[in-house]
Amino acid sequence: MFSPEYEKRLLKHFSPTARALFSTPESSSPSDRFIPCRNNNNWETNYSTLAKSNENSSQSNKKQRECGESARDSLAYSCLLKNELLGTSIDDIKNVSDDKIGYLSSSNRGLFKYQPPVRQDFNDPCPYSLSPVTIKSQKLLRSPRKATRKISRIPFKVLDAPELQDDFYLNLVDWSAQNVLAVGLGSCVYLWSACTSQVTRLCDLSNDGNTVTSVSWSERGHQLAVGTHHGYVTVWDVQASKQVNKLNGHSARVGALAWNGDILSSGSRDRLIMQRDARTPPQTCERRLEGHRQEVCGLKWSPDNQYLASGGNDNRLYVWNQHSLSPVQSYSEHMAAVKAIAWSPHHHGLLVSGGGTADRCIRFWNTLTGQPMQCVDTGSQVCNLAWSKHSSELVSTHGYSQNQILVWKYPSLTQVAKLTGHSYRVLYLALSPDGEAIVTGAGDETLRFWNVFSKARSQKENKSVLNLYTNIR
């Protein structure tokens, strides 16, 4: 037994924690036994939830994005481990939250637990069971799960496309609402019918010493606009195989075309965007949109036909309306040419764009507020973008250096599929009229057809009667 004076001198040399360990409670009576006080000790021997570090979390998200791992699969695996190691008896994922699944609380649970013997559970595995897991884990593995959509990594059709140019700034492939594919090959434009597989030649510009630099179908698919290297645009009646208009005005090649009803917008290497009515003679008035400092290589109208998005070799993305000759919005975050542009048909005002070799990023923009949203680095030159008509998914095609085709889930931006096959940059992309298939073209002079999207509308998408853009009034 220590004397009070000796104990005070002794405790001066210890830390506050050590003082709490070796101090004798004042209320206790003198005794010949020393009992340390451990009431305030923080024993780290209980079961506890180990929080993931930000680094591990980011690596896990990157892994899920690259390999397309399902969050439900990851959750099921975690529940299975806790059943076998901690005995948590989880038999259905639906009853478990994502954040805390079967963890034992460290605040109200001791290291050892004393309780009367538990009655035998006849659900426990039999000694002669052939399964290596418990009954609860077996039930967990048999629980129904949502069927995952599998995307074939092999194209269902491949067509030869001789003289298909390997030029990033051109747009030489388009798919019409009448299920006819238009392709610009050298100085000719060819039409391929997806219904009959027949190929016809629409026009030949070799007599003029000219080449095709862009093609674009009208909304109803009865007219085709053809941009040329000499700077003029021709409009063709496909049924009659006849040229109905020739629009001059550009002084350099026309690499981008976009229809808005009967209004045709054209972007050129002369840095101009011109809007003209394809039904009127070439001498009528036109709108000249000036803003880009280098070649215009991407043009897309919004689903409501109110705004035009344009991308250029000056790394700029502009948004124009029908009432002004100056862009209403300007985005300069890209570090390379902006050719890939797509408006979302499901989210009003959502615009996505992709940058070239020095950028490699897909960026999302809220054009209603003018604010940038998400951004993902794809690791390759972004050549084209297209949204699914039936679900919140989009496809991107890429060039240097992987030449891949990626299918993304929005807004999680997880990769649904990665398709490879082209040996050159995948410079051209078009969506089928039913919204299920895409066609891609590359400098390897092939056209490849892929089934990437599902026609069934996603169950998570709720159609609102207040949405003026999906209902007829």
Side-chain angles (χ1 to χ4, degrees):
M1 184 179 72
F2 295 125
S3 64
E5 293 78 8
Y6 177 74
E7 182 178 0
K8 291 180 180 179
R9 292 197 305 270
L10 182 64
L11 292 180
K12 288 182 180 180
H13 303 283
F14 291 97
S15 62
T17 303
R19 295 175 192 173
L21 276 172
F22 295 103
S23 62
T24 303
E26 297 179 359
S27 60
S28 62
S29 59
S31 172
D32 58 349
R33 297 179 59 196
F34 171 68
I35 303 177
C37 178
R38 299 185 174 91
N39 291 334
N40 296 327
N41 288 352
N42 184 19
W43 297 96
E44 297 183 357
T45 55
N46 293 346
Y47 297 111
S48 60
T49 301
L50 299 179
K52 295 182 179 179
S53 64
N54 294 333
E55 181 180 359
N56 294 337
S57 179
S58 62
Q59 292 179 355
S60 176
N61 293 337
K62 183 178 180 180
K63 180 180 178 182
Q64 281 193 0
R65 180 179 299 157
E66 291 179 351
C67 64
E69 179 184 4
S70 171
R72 182 180 176 87
D73 293 342
S74 176
L75 180 61
Y77 180 68
S78 299
C79 293
L80 181 63
L81 286 180
K82 284 157 187 62
N83 279 354
E84 299 304 311
L85 299 180
L86 302 179
T88 51
S89 300
I90 303 173
D91 56 2
D92 193 353
I93 302 180
K94 296 180 180 179
N95 301 330
V96 181
S97 63
D98 294 349
D99 299 328
K100 296 182 180 180
I101 44 178
Y103 288 110
L104 300 178
S105 173
S106 60
S107 58
N108 299 323
R109 197 171 184 87
L111 177 62
F112 302 104
K113 180 179 181 181
Y114 300 96
Q115 62 182 8
V118 182
R119 187 180 57 171
Q120 182 180 1
D121 187 1
F122 292 98
N123 289 327
D124 289 340
C126 174
Y128 307 103
S129 174
L130 299 179
S131 176
V133 297
T134 61
I135 296 296
K136 294 291 185 180
S137 296
Q138 295 178 34
K139 186 176 180 181
L140 173 67
L141 295 175
R142 290 194 301 264
S143 61
R145 53 180 296 175
K146 184 179 179 181
T148 58
R149 179 171 59 89
K150 294 183 179 180
I151 298 178
S152 175
R153 300 180 182 272
I154 302 175
F156 65 87
K157 184 182 287 294
V158 179
L159 298 178
D160 290 331
E163 298 186 53
L164 185 61
Q165 298 186 52
D166 184 26
D167 194 326
F168 177 78
Y169 300 99
L170 307 186
N171 294 274
L172 298 175
V173 178
D174 199 15
W175 208 330
S176 77
Q178 303 296 328
N179 212 5
V180 178
L181 188 70
V183 185
L185 302 178
S187 60
C188 300
V189 176
Y190 291 90
L191 306 179
W192 177 79
S193 174
C195 300
T196 62
S197 296
Q198 292 183 352
V199 179
T200 58
R201 187 174 65 180
L202 179 65
C203 64
D204 187 354
L205 307 179
S206 59
N207 293 332
D208 193 19
N210 204 354
T211 58
V212 179
T213 54
S214 58
V215 293
S216 179
W217 287 100
S218 62
E219 295 177 359
R220 290 181 293 175
H222 66 288
Q223 288 186 333
L224 179 69
V226 179
T228 66
H229 185 77
H230 288 175
Y232 61 83
V233 180
T234 57
V235 181
W236 293 77
D237 186 339
V238 177
Q239 293 294 333
S241 298
K242 179 182 178 181
Q243 178 179 319
V244 295
N245 208 339
K246 181 178 180 180
L247 306 175
N248 296 300
H250 288 293
S251 59
R253 69 180 183 184
V254 179
L257 295 169
W259 287 86
N260 183 1
D262 293 311
I263 305 298
L264 178 62
S265 300
S266 58
S268 172
R269 198 172 190 174
D270 62 7
R271 303 172 295 178
L272 292 178
I273 300 174
M274 303 187 69
Q275 294 181 348
R276 293 165 285 193
D277 194 326
R279 300 168 297 179
T280 60
Q283 292 78 14
T284 56
C285 60
E286 58 194 20
R287 297 184 72 228
R288 299 164 61 93
L289 306 181
E290 301 180 9
H292 286 284
R293 297 181 179 179
Q294 293 190 37
E295 181 173 6
V296 180
C297 51
L299 287 177
K300 285 292 170 59
W301 280 97
S302 61
D304 58 1
N305 294 329
Q306 298 299 314
Y307 296 96
L308 174 68
S310 66
N313 196 37
D314 55 358
N315 310 344
R316 294 299 182 94
L317 174 68
Y318 291 140
V319 178
W320 315 75
N321 62 15
Q322 298 184 358
H323 310 290
S324 175
L325 297 179
S326 300
V328 294
Q329 291 179 4
S330 174
Y331 304 102
S332 58
E333 281 77 0
H334 282 293
M335 304 301 294
V338 182
K339 176 194 176 186
I341 302 172
W343 292 87
S344 171
H346 313 290
H347 308 276
H348 182 53
L350 177 60
L351 177 64
V352 58
S353 60
T357 307
D359 183 77
R360 306 183 306 273
C361 290
I362 297 177
R363 297 181 180 272
F364 295 80
W365 317 92
N366 185 349
T367 60
L368 301 180
T369 62
Q371 299 297 322
M373 298 173 65
Q374 295 163 280
C375 175
V376 56
D377 189 345
T378 65
S380 296
Q381 175 189 41
V382 185
C383 301
N384 291 281
L385 290 164
W387 286 89
S388 169
K389 295 182 179 180
H390 310 289
S391 61
S392 290
E393 294 180 345
L394 69 155
V395 60
S396 60
T397 67
H398 300 268
Y400 302 125
S401 58
Q402 302 182 36
N403 305 330
Q404 77 272 37
I405 303 166
L406 301 178
V407 183
W408 305 84
K409 186 75 175 178
Y410 182 83
S412 62
L413 296 184
T414 55
Q415 286 185 19
V416 181
K418 179 179 180 180
L419 310 176
T420 57
H422 285 289
S423 57
Y424 281 65
R425 297 181 294 174
V426 189
L427 297 177
Y428 310 109
L429 169 69
L431 185 65
S432 65
D434 62 2
E436 292 186 352
I438 63 170
V439 59
T440 57
D444 56 11
E445 298 185 346
T446 61
L447 296 174
R448 298 173 184 264
F449 296 79
W450 317 77
N451 276 319
V452 296
F453 293 133
S454 175
K455 196 171 184 179
R457 182 176 293 274
S458 175
Q459 297 179 356
K460 295 183 179 181
E461 295 181 13
N462 298 322
K463 297 180 65 177
S464 173
V465 296
L466 300 178
N467 192 344
L468 305 180
Y469 302 102
T470 59
N471 295 281
I472 299 177
R473 298 184 297 149

